[in-house]
Structures are given as structure tokens and as C-alpha cells.
């Protein structure tokens, strides 16, 4: 992927999946899903320019001090290439198994983002909130960027759009076709009209993973770009999971076509 000019690679996060599955299950229970920080640290050691993203980290399942340390560590060992996707989560059996209440997960996520940025800034005054409180400590090393790793907010609720506008470098939509992408981009624009965006965050990046049913032909790539999508995070083809040659062809061919359109190259 790096040799083919791809911009980034992404991986998701679930500590545990329901067994037996529930209607909201994202995958079968026996899926061997690596911890994203372990997987991306491994990739950081094999690459030099490829950016490394979580799509997304379920923030309420982490204590913000622990997550801040993980994110800063990965950012440092990768030379500032880490992109932290953040989400509130939705899988109740996973929350229950970890002893974390599903209720108020949005508020917990907001507090955690604010707390992590205090940690990344080296602020020993800590953070005092309803769900998170600590003081008199520091966590080093600090990330390469002044705001910490760029945050890419996942989710489709009003709170997610508000969070992306006010606290995120970008917004990430998973498994969205063109019609769904258009709907959610419009919701983001409406949120941007209601909420002030800090200037230091820069323009809002929009990252989309198309569903497997969407063929990523030239017309489709053009249509996503016209909707304002700046990054396509493409799923690997099914045949590529067992056929290394098919995976290499996918990486080389799709990367070249996306780069030709001026999009941030998909990964």
C-alpha cells in the first residue's frame, strides 16, 4: 500500500463480540479482530509514510488517561502518523461485559476528548467532569501535534455531527452508499451552521467506507468526490483475504484511480 502511494490504513475496534450474535452484531463472534493499537504499532514499524487510523475507537470503553497514553505512544513511534477515529459505541453486550454503562456514552465521549487533550497538552491541573476526574498527574511522551493525534469522529446522530464540527479534524461514515453519504454530508453542513468550529482544526475532512455492494468504478469515485468526500477507506475484496495476488492488484489499481482524482488515497 505504501509503495502504491496510499495515504492511510485503518482498523476497527471491538474488545468482545456477542456470542450468540445479536441483531446489532457487526460480525460473527469468532472473528479474530486484532487490537487496533497493537496492529497499527506493528504496521508503523514496517512503513515510513503510510498514516495509521482507528475506524473507530470506542471511547467510552477506555479510561481517558489510558487511551491518551495509547494514542500518544502510537503517534510517537509512528513519527506523527496516527489518526484517532473516535466513536461512542453501540453494542450493549460489549459494554455490559466490560462493566461500562451504555447510557450517557455521548457525554462520556465528550469529556474523554476534552480530558485527553488536557493530558496531551501536558496540563498537570488535570480534568474535572461528571464522568472523568483526575489531577496532579502527567503522561509522557506527548504526541507530535499540539492538539494530539487528529480526531475523526464516527457516528450518525446529531451529537456525532456536532462533535465532528466542534472537536474533530474529520468525520467518518462507515458502509455508506452515495445516497446515505449525501444525506449525512448535508447533516454535517447543517451542524456546521449551528456550531462554531475552532480555527485550529482546519477544514473538516470527510472519510467514507462504501459498503461491499458498491462497485468502486470511476463513476462511483467521481460521485463520492463530488459529494465532498476527501478520503475513501475501502474494504478489502473478499478474494483478497485468501489470495495475496488479488489483494496486491486491488491496492495498486484502486490507489492509482483515486489519486488521479485528487482524493486522499483510500486505504
Amino acid at each position: 500500500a505504501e509503495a502504491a502511494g496510499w495515504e492511510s490504513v485503518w482498523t476497527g475496534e471491538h474488545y468482545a463480540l456477542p456470542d450468540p450474535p445479536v441483531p446489532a452484531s457487526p460480525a460473527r463472534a469468532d472473528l479474530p479482530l486484532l487490537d487496533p493499537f497493537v496492529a497499527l504499532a506493528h504496521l508503523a514499524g514496517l512503513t515510513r509514510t503510510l498514516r495509521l487510523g482507528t475506524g473507530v475507537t470506542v471511547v467510552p470503553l477506555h479510561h481517558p488517561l489510558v487511551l491518551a497514553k495509547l494514542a500518544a505512544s502510537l503517534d510517537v513511534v509512528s513519527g506523527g502518523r496516527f489518526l484517532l477515529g473516535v466513536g461512542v459505541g453501540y453494542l450493549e453486550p460489549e459494554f455490559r461485559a466490560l462493566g461500562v454503562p451504555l447510557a450517557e456514552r455521548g457525554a462520556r465521549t465528550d469529556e474523554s476528548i476534552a480530558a485527553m487533550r488536557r493530558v496531551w497538552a501536558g496540563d498537570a491541573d488535570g480534568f474535572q467532569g461528571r464522568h472523568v476526574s483526575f489531577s496532579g498527574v502527567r503522561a509522557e511522551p506527548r504526541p507530535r501535534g499540539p492538539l494530539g493525534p487528529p480526531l475523526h469522529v464516527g457516528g450518525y446522530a446529531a451529537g456525532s455531527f456536532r462533535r465532528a464540527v466542534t472537536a474533530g479534524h474529520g468525520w467518518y461514515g462507515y458502509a455508506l452508499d452515495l445516497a446515505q453519504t449525501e444525506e449525512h454530508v448535508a447533516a454535517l453542513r447543517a451542524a456546521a451552521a449551528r456550531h462554531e468550529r475552532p480555527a485550529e482544526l482546519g477544514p473538516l475532512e470527510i472519510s467514507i467506507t462504501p459498503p461491499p455492494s458498491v462497485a468502486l468504478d470511476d463513476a462511483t469515485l467521481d460521485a463520492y468526490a463530488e459529494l465532498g468526500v476527501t478520503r475513501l477507506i475501502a474494504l478489502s475484496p473478499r478474494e483478497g483475504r485468501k489470495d495475496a495476488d488479488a489483494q496486491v492488484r486491488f491496492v495498486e489499481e484502486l490507489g492509482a484511480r483515486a489519486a488521479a482524482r485528487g482524493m486522499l488515497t483510500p486505504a
Side-chain angles (χ1 to χ4, degrees), residues 81-266:
R81 292 184 282 142
F82 181 46
L83 305 170
L84 179 57
V86 296
V88 302
Y90 64 94
L91 199 55
E92 193 277 336
E94 182 180 28
F95 274 72
R96 177 164 26 92
L98 290 165
V100 178
L102 194 65
E104 298 189 339
R105 61 193 186 277
R108 291 176 182 274
T109 298
D110 288 335
E111 285 195 6
S112 291
I113 290 173
M116 287 192 295
R117 283 188 163 151
R118 291 272 189 91
V119 173
W120 292 332
D123 188 346
D125 290 337
F127 183 85
Q128 303 298 319
R130 287 183 57 211
H131 304 285
V132 177
S133 296
F134 57 87
S135 62
V137 294
R138 287 181 57 173
E140 298 286 345
R142 290 155 65 182
R144 297 285 291 268
L147 295 178
L151 300 186
H152 292 262
V153 178
Y156 315 112
S160 299
F161 299 134
R162 182 262 306 160
R163 195 172 293 117
V165 169
T166 61
H169 290 80
W171 177 80
Y172 177 29
Y174 183 80
L176 299 183
D177 61 22
L178 288 166
Q180 293 168 319
T181 298
E182 184 175 17
E183 175 188 350
H184 294 313
V185 168
L188 277 168
R189 288 174 178 155
R194 292 192 301 270
H195 303 285
E196 183 177 358
R197 180 167 177 79
E200 62 267 24
L201 292 175
L204 184 72
E205 297 178 10
I206 298 177
S207 302
I208 297 292
T209 291
S213 58
V214 172
L216 297 179
D217 53 29
D218 288 350
T220 301
L221 294 183
D222 289 339
Y224 275 111
E226 288 169 5
L227 291 174
V229 175
T230 48
R231 178 185 289 108
L232 283 180
I233 303 173
L235 296 171
S236 299
R238 288 189 176 274
E239 62 271 22
R241 298 174 187 178
K242 295 184 179 180
D243 183 344
D245 290 336
Q247 181 77 344
V248 169
R249 287 194 299 272
F250 167 79
V251 167
E252 293 178 343
E253 189 268 342
L254 179 59
R257 288 193 292 116
R261 283 159 176 76
M263 302 178 75
L264 293 174
T265 310

Side-chain angles (χ1 to χ4, degrees), residues 14-40:
H14 282 289
Y15 279 117
L17 294 171
D19 189 11
V22 298
S25 294
R28 66 183 193 275
D30 62 348
L31 178 70
L33 187 63
L34 293 173
D35 177 271
F37 293 93
V38 173
L40 295 177

Side-chain angles (χ1 to χ4, degrees), residues 64-87:
L65 272 173
V66 176
L67 184 55
K69 169 67 79 171
L70 287 170
S73 297
L74 183 49
D75 193 64
V76 168
V77 301
S78 67
R81 292 184 282 142
F82 181 46
L83 305 170
L84 179 57
V86 296

